[in-house]
Amino acid sequence: LAEACPALNSLAKPLGERQAIMAMLPGLAHSRRAAAAGCGAAARSYGTSLPIPNPPIGTGAVFHSRMQPPKYSLSNPKWFGIFFAMNVGVYSGHYFYLRFLMRQNPPNPPRD
């Protein structure tokens, strides 16, 4: 276990693996309670730890995703229409090959 979790290495050597795990249990229970309550550092955050860029003076705004729309975008009906047409083509081509192009194996010869 100490190899899988580098944080345990410092505890596992002097105490032993079992004592290291037992030493971590109170902290684990506390972090689970904090996560369940939705408070503290254990709570999920949807921000970023990186610095947020500021626009250069006089430009007005930082680029965002609405300023660069995707080059190709399909609506749901178009996408699923193409998807199902592709599936029909794949399956019909497969069975066409099996039925008309692939040789049939001859029957087994009679046995004595």
Side-chain angles (χ1 to χ4, degrees), residues 37-71:
C39 62
R44 248 186 219 171
S45 61
Y46 291 101
T48 178
S49 61
L50 300 173
I52 297 172
N54 293 322
I57 297 172
T59 58
V62 176
F63 285 104
H64 52 81
S65 62
R66 284 181 279 165
M67 295 177 81
Q68 297 172 346
K71 191 170 185 178

Side-chain angles (χ1 to χ4, degrees), residues 74-91:
L74 295 174
S75 64
N76 264 355
K78 286 180 186 175
W79 192 91
F80 279 104
I82 291 171
F83 177 74
F84 287 122
M86 182 262 322
N87 273 311
V88 167
V90 166
Y91 280 101

Side-chain angles (χ1 to χ4, degrees), residues 7 15 17 20 24 28 36 60 63 83 85 89 96 101-102 104:
L15 297 176
E17 194 168 333
M24 287 179 54
L28 182 64
F63 285 104
F83 177 74
F96 174 81
L101 301 178
M102 188 174 172
Q104 296 293 321

Side-chain angles (χ1 to χ4, degrees), residues 89-112:
V90 166
Y91 280 101
S92 61
H94 167 73
Y95 286 111
F96 174 81
Y97 177 80
L98 288 180
R99 177 77 173 100
F100 298 110
L101 301 178
M102 188 174 172
R103 281 185 25 187
Q104 296 293 321
N105 286 336
N108 289 330
R111 300 184 182 192
D112 292 335

